Amino acid sequence: MQARPHARSTPQRPRFSPDFSRIIGENIPDALLVYHLAPNYQICYANEKFLSFLNCDFQDFMRQTGGCLLNVVHPEDRERVQAALEAFCRQGETWSVEYRALQKDGGFLWLRDVGKKTLSEDGTPLAVSVCADITELVGLRQQVKPETVPLQTLIDSLPCGICKVKANDDLELVHANAFFYDMLGYTRADVEKQGFNNVKACIYPADLEMVRQVVRENVQQRCAFFELEHRLFHQSGKVLWGRISCSYDPAEPDMLTCALFDITLRKTMEEKLRISEEESRIAFQHTDKVMVIYDPGVRVLFQPQEAASALGLPAVVHGVPESVVARGIVAEESVENYLKFFHAMQQGIPHGSATLKLKCKGTFEWFSGRYTLIFSKEGKPQRGIISYENVTEQREKELAYQKWIQSFKAQQENSIGYYEFNLSKNTYEGNERRNSGALPPDVKSFSGMVNHIARHYVYEKDLPAYLSVFDREKLLGKFYSGQCETQLDHRFIGAQGVVYWVAARIQLVPDPFTQDVKAFILIRNIDAQKKRELELQSLIEQDDLTGLLNRGTVVKRVSETLRLSGAGAWHGLIMLDVDNFKLVNDRLGHQYGDQVLRDIADSLKQVLRKNDLCGRLGGDEFVVFLTDIPPELALEKKLEVLRRAAARYCQAGLKITASLGLARYPQDGKSFSDLYEKADMALYEAKRLGRDRYVIYTPALEAQRASAGLFTRP
C-alpha cells in the first residue's frame, strides 16, 4: 500500500508590515521607500537615508510633498515617471527609473529608483524601492555630451559603437552613441526604461574576468591604446563577438573611451575554418595512409622522416624512381609497376595508382599507393601528392576469408538450409543446392529469401521475431557497430506440416576485395535440444503455487509483446484481485486459502484463449493479458466471464468474489508499467464501488481520483 501524500498549500506572496519596514529600513545603508500602488502613490515609509538626500526630516518631507511620491519628483520629470509607474502597476514585477528629486532648499539631485511589487499585511499592493544618488554620474554624462548637434549626429552615424565608461570592475556606462545601443539591440528608450548603466551586464560571463584583467593591467601601465576581443549579449539573448579599441588618457584616470566593432561574422568564419582544418587533420590521422610529395621536374621525393626510415631511405631522395630501385627496396616482381607509377607523373598523367611489394624494416610487404598531380598555370606538372598504405594485413585478410568460407560451407552437410548473400547489394549468391533448403530460381535477393521462408516455413507466432532479426537494414547496422554474428531459434514448418525447432545462424563478413558486407546463413535442426531447454525454462517461469506465470515472466512477456506490436494492434491488461481473501486465510487456514487460489487459477485458464497470458503477481493478485483483441470481442462480456470464473463458495459460509480493472493498448498506454498503472487505477475504483465488479479505465477516472486526493486502494 502506498502512503497518502500530504496536501500541499498554495504558496502565498510575503506580506509587508510597518514594523518590518522600519527595522529593515533603518539598518541598511541604502535609501528605502515604501509606497502604495494607487493613483496618488502615497508614501507609507521613507528611511533616514532617503530623507537625508532631500535635506529634511520626516515632518518637513510630509509638509513639502503631502506624502505623494510624484511630488518628490521634479515637475519636468513627473510625466515620464508617472508613465513608468503606470506601466509598472499594469504588468511589471520590477521597475527602474531615473529622475530629479526636489530638496528642501529648492535644489535637486538625480536618483535611480529600482522598485519591486509586494503586499501589505492587509493585502494592499505596495512597491518597495531602493534609491541611489547618481548626480555625479549624470554630471559625467553631461561632460561628455557633444557641444553641438552636428557633432552628435556625426558620432551617431559612425559605423561602430562609441562609448565612454568608467575604468572599474562594473565598467559603468557614462555615454554611448546610437550605433553602440543598436549593435546590442537597444533603443535609447529601452536604455532609459531598463536602467542600462554599465557594460558589465552585456559581457558574456565566461569573458568578464578576462576583460576586467586587461583593463586593470593597461590602466596600471598607463597604456594610451589597447584592444581586446570578447563575446557580448544582444538584447535578444544572441551571443555576438566584439572587438573593442580602448583609449586611455592619464588626465582622466578613471575613464576609458572605447570603439566597439561587431566581428561576429569574422569569428564565425574563423571557427568554421579552424574546424575544417582540424577535421582534415584528424581524418588523415585516423587513416593508415602516409603522404609524400614528388617533384617530377627534378625527380625528387620528399617524405616524412618516420616513413623514410621504415623504408631505409633519407627524407629527401634524388633521382627517383631509378635510385630507389637501385637500392634493392623494390621487390623484383614490382619493379616494372614502380617505374611506371613515377614515369606517369613525369608525363603529366593527372592520376594513377599501383600495388607494390617493398622492403619495410628488413622484410618485403605490400603497399597500395595513388597520386594526384598539381599543375602550373602553364599546364606543367609541378607536384605529385602521393598517399600510400601498408596493405599486407589486407592480403592476410583475403587468405583468412577464403579459409573461413571453406570452414562455414563444410557445416552445411548437416544443415537444412545454407545461403550466401551480398547484404550490401541485396543479392543472392547461391548455395550448393545439395539440401532441402534450396531456394526457387526466382529468389535472387536477401529480401526475397526472407519473404519466401517467412511465407512457407516460419511458424506464425515466430514471424515477428523472424522478420525483426532478418531485417536487412538492422543487420547492416549491427555489422557496422561490431556485431558480426546473430542467431535466432524459431519453429519451422517442415514436410507434411510437421513443426520443429531450428537455429538460424547469420554470419556477417566483410568482403576483403570490395568491403561489401557478405551474409552467410546456416539453418540447423535443434528440435530435441530446444524442447529440453523449454521444459527447464517453464519450471523457472511458473508460479510455484498456481502453475501460472510468475510476476517476472508476465512483465517480460507482456513487454516483449508490446515492443513487437505493430500499428493497429489492440491488447488489454486486466488486474484481478480476490475480495476479502484475508478472511479465508484467517478462518479456514492458509492451506485452504492456497487451494482456493489454485482453483481460481484453473478457472481462469479455462476461460482464456490460447494466446492470452495469465499470471499471479503475488498474494491474491492475478494479471490477465488479452492479446490481439478482435473488434468483435465484447470486453465487458469477457470481464464478466472472468469475474464469474473467480467467484466461488467456501466453507463456513464464505463466498469468494473478485474485483477487476482493465486498461487497453494503445490508447491507455504503450508499456507494461503504463498499462499496469491504469489497470490498477480501474481496479481501485472497482474496490471503492463495493467490490465484486469490473471497471474499465478512462481518463476521467484518473482526474476524478486526483481531485479527490485518492492515491491508495481501500
Side-chain angles (χ1 to χ4, degrees):
M1 302 287 282
Q2 299 177 348
R4 187 188 304 272
H6 296 293
R8 296 180 180 176
S9 60
T10 304
Q12 299 293 324
R13 183 191 294 271
R15 302 302 175 102
F16 209 81
S17 71
D19 288 341
F20 181 76
S21 62
R22 178 180 55 77
I23 294 169
I24 295 299
E26 302 307 328
N27 285 277
I28 65 172
D30 299 306
L32 184 70
L33 271 182
V34 182
Y35 48 90
H36 290 275
L37 289 178
N40 59 357
Y41 307 108
Q42 194 71 24
I43 297 171
C44 54
Y45 176 74
N47 70 352
E48 290 298 329
K49 180 69 174 180
F50 182 84
L51 296 173
S52 70
F53 282 166
L54 307 184
N55 300 325
C56 63
D57 57 22
F58 190 73
Q59 287 74 24
D60 291 336
F61 172 71
M62 293 301 293
R63 278 196 303 273
Q64 180 176 334
T65 65
C68 176
L69 175 63
L70 290 175
N71 291 336
V72 177
V73 181
H74 192 284
E76 294 179 6
D77 297 339
R78 283 176 187 168
E79 184 177 350
R80 176 171 54 83
V81 172
Q82 183 166 6
L85 276 167
E86 289 172 355
F88 176 46
C89 293
R90 286 195 306 272
Q91 58 189 15
E93 286 295 321
T94 61
W95 88 316
S96 176
V97 70
E98 295 178 3
Y99 58 84
R100 288 168 288 180
L102 298 172
Q103 296 177 307
K104 179 181 178 181
D105 57 5
F108 66 85
L109 78 164
W110 277 92
L111 295 180
R112 178 181 294 121
D113 189 337
V114 179
K116 185 174 179 63
K117 284 184 181 178
T118 184
L119 297 174
S120 67
E121 288 184 317
D122 62 2
T124 303
L126 298 177
V128 179
S129 288
V130 175
C131 301
D133 182 352
I134 59 169
T135 306
E136 181 183 353
L137 181 60
V138 173
L140 287 171
R141 291 177 185 169
Q142 296 298 325
Q143 290 178 25
V144 300
K145 277 187 177 180
E147 295 183 359
T148 65
V149 173
L151 181 57
Q152 176 66 50
T153 303
L154 174 63
I155 293 175
D156 282 342
S157 66
L158 291 174
C160 67
I162 304 293
C163 66
K164 197 155 190 174
V165 299
K166 284 192 173 183
N168 56 23
D169 280 353
D170 284 342
L171 301 171
E172 293 178 59
L173 186 63
V174 178
H175 176 74
N177 70 348
F179 200 92
F180 175 88
Y181 293 123
D182 186 61
M183 283 177 63
L184 298 175
Y186 295 89
T187 63
R188 290 195 182 277
D190 294 333
V191 172
E192 246 183 70
K193 181 179 179 182
Q194 299 179 22
F196 188 168
N197 52 50
N198 65 67
V199 182
K200 179 185 71 172
C202 295
I203 298 176
Y204 195 75
D207 296 346
L208 180 58
E209 191 53 41
M210 178 273 292
V211 173
R212 287 171 169 168
Q213 184 66 25
V214 170
V215 170
R216 281 195 293 263
E217 290 176 356
N218 283 276
V219 169
Q220 288 170 5
Q221 297 171 16
R222 294 176 173 267
C223 294
F225 177 81
F226 60 93
E227 286 193 339
L228 66 163
E229 294 181 358
H230 61 80
R231 290 163 289 183
L232 296 155
F233 280 121
H234 190 272
Q235 187 187 31
S236 64
K238 182 175 64 176
V239 177
L240 309 174
W241 271 97
R243 188 181 84 244
I244 297 85
S245 300
C246 303
S247 174
Y248 173 68
D249 184 355
E252 288 186 289
D254 295 332
M255 305 296 294
L256 290 174
T257 301
C258 305
L260 172 63
F261 301 88
D262 186 343
I263 59 169
T264 305
L265 180 60
R266 193 199 84 193
K267 281 289 187 180
T268 301
M269 296 303 295
E270 286 177 356
E271 181 64 9
K272 287 182 178 179
L273 180 60
R274 184 192 68 78
I275 291 173
S276 177
E277 291 175 347
E278 186 69 4
E279 286 175 345
S280 298
R281 184 185 66 81
I282 292 172
F284 204 83
Q285 285 183 343
H286 285 191
T287 71
D288 296 324
K289 297 184 185 299
V290 177
M291 187 174 71
V292 300
I293 298 173
Y294 180 62
D295 186 331
V298 295
R299 300 192 302 132
V300 176
L301 184 69
F302 304 89
Q303 37 187 359
Q305 186 60 56
E306 184 179 354
S309 298
L311 296 171
L313 293 170
V316 180
V317 188
H318 296 270
V320 178
E322 288 78 10
S323 63
V324 175
V325 173
R327 289 173 180 262
I329 293 172
V330 185
E332 185 177 352
E333 62 266 37
S334 293
V335 169
E336 183 179 354
N337 286 338
Y338 187 81
L339 294 172
K340 285 181 178 179
F341 185 78
F342 284 92
H343 289 163
M345 283 185 273
Q346 295 169 7
Q347 295 164 14
I349 299 174
H351 306 281
S353 62
T355 300
L356 307 164
K357 194 173 185 181
L358 307 176
K359 185 182 288 186
C360 180
K361 297 180 180 179
T363 61
F364 281 101
E365 297 185 358
W366 286 94
F367 292 85
S368 176
R370 63 180 61 232
Y371 74 82
T372 298
L373 279 181
I374 298 175
F375 294 89
S376 67
K377 290 183 179 179
E378 293 78 23
K380 294 182 179 180
Q382 295 290 303
R383 294 287 187 273
I385 309 302
I386 305 171
S387 65
Y388 68 89
E389 61 181 325
N390 191 317
V391 294
T392 305
E393 184 180 351
Q394 172 73 9
R395 290 298 179 98
E396 293 174 352
K397 285 182 179 178
E398 294 170 7
L399 180 61
Y401 176 79
Q402 294 300 329
K403 290 182 178 179
W404 186 91
I405 292 291
Q406 294 303 319
S407 172
F408 200 77
K409 282 184 176 181
Q411 300 179 42
Q412 69 170 302
E413 298 301 330
N414 298 318
S415 70
I416 61 173
Y418 171 78
Y419 314 99
E420 298 176 15
F421 293 91
N422 184 316
L423 198 60
S424 299
K425 296 179 179 176
N426 195 20
T427 56
Y428 177 44
E429 298 187 347
N431 67 3
E432 300 302 323
R433 297 194 181 275
R434 292 178 297 184
N435 52 55
S436 60
L439 297 174
D442 61 334
V443 175
K444 299 178 180 179
S445 66
F446 178 84
S447 303
M449 178 276 296
V450 172
N451 292 332
H452 174 76
I453 292 181
R455 285 197 307 268
H456 297 92
Y457 299 108
V458 180
Y459 190 65
E460 181 181 2
K461 284 190 176 181
D462 297 339
L463 268 175
Y466 176 83
L467 293 174
S468 177
V469 170
F470 277 79
D471 183 284
R472 177 171 165 269
E473 294 299 329
K474 287 183 179 179
L475 286 172
L476 287 170
K478 287 181 178 180
F479 172 80
Y480 290 120
S481 64
Q483 186 176 342
C484 296
E485 185 171 356
T486 301
Q487 179 166 312
L488 171 69
D489 295 350
H490 67 87
R491 283 161 289 191
F492 192 89
I493 304 173
Q496 288 79 47
V498 175
V499 177
Y500 54 90
W501 282 93
V502 299
R505 178 187 172 194
I506 309 171
Q507 189 75 34
L508 305 175
V509 182
D511 188 305
F513 304 100
T514 65
Q515 294 305 306
D516 288 346
V517 180
K518 306 292 282 292
F520 298 89
I521 301 172
L522 189 69
I523 302 175
R524 296 180 297 108
N525 186 327
I526 59 165
D527 194 58
Q529 172 190 344
K530 189 68 177 181
K531 286 179 177 177
R532 287 195 298 271
E533 291 177 3
L534 292 175
E535 288 175 2
L536 292 173
Q537 184 179 350
S538 66
L539 295 176
I540 297 172
E541 294 179 343
Q542 286 182 356
D543 172 57
D544 292 339
L545 178 64
T546 62
L548 299 177
L549 298 177
N550 58 31
R551 184 186 188 92
T553 304
V554 168
V555 174
K556 177 181 177 182
R557 292 197 183 179
V558 171
S559 298
E560 181 67 12
T561 300
L562 297 177
R563 186 180 68 82
L564 296 175
S565 294
W570 296 86
H571 310 300
L573 185 75
I574 301 168
M575 299 294 299
L576 185 151
D577 194 85
V578 181
D579 299 326
N580 300 317
F581 184 70
K582 187 174 182 300
L583 292 176
V584 175
N585 282 334
D586 291 346
R587 295 184 185 181
L588 303 177
H590 285 279
Q591 289 186 348
Y592 189 90
D594 289 348
Q595 185 57 49
V596 169
L597 293 178
R598 283 191 288 267
D599 292 343
I600 291 174
D602 291 340
S603 297
L604 293 176
K605 285 189 285 187
Q606 291 175 11
V607 298
L608 291 173
R609 298 171 301 164
K610 184 179 180 181
N611 294 338
D612 296 332
L613 300 176
C614 186
R616 177 172 172 247
L617 299 183
D620 58 349
E621 191 172 55
F622 296 84
V623 62
V624 174
F625 185 68
L626 304 176
T627 62
D628 298 316
I629 303 171
E632 65 274 8
L633 180 64
L635 284 177
E636 293 189 0
K637 181 178 179 181
K638 189 68 176 180
L639 288 166
E640 179 62 21
V641 169
L642 291 169
R643 186 191 69 81
R644 291 180 180 178
R648 62 202 60 249
Y649 287 97
C650 302
Q651 297 177 8
L654 292 175
K655 181 184 178 183
I656 291 293
T657 60
S659 299
L660 297 87
L662 167 71
R664 293 156 295 181
Y665 171 94
Q667 61 263 53
D668 298 334
K670 295 184 179 181
S671 68
F672 178 87
S673 58
D674 288 344
L675 293 174
Y676 177 90
E677 179 183 357
K678 304 296 174 55
D680 191 61
M681 195 178 298
L683 173 61
Y684 169 93
E685 183 66 10
K687 291 277 190 182
R688 192 182 70 82
L689 293 174
R691 300 177 174 84
D692 192 19
R693 67 193 64 226
Y694 57 82
V695 171
I696 299 175
Y697 170 81
T698 63
L701 174 62
E702 186 170 2
Q704 172 189 336
R705 292 187 61 204
S707 64
L710 301 174
F711 294 92
T712 59
R713 297 184 195 174

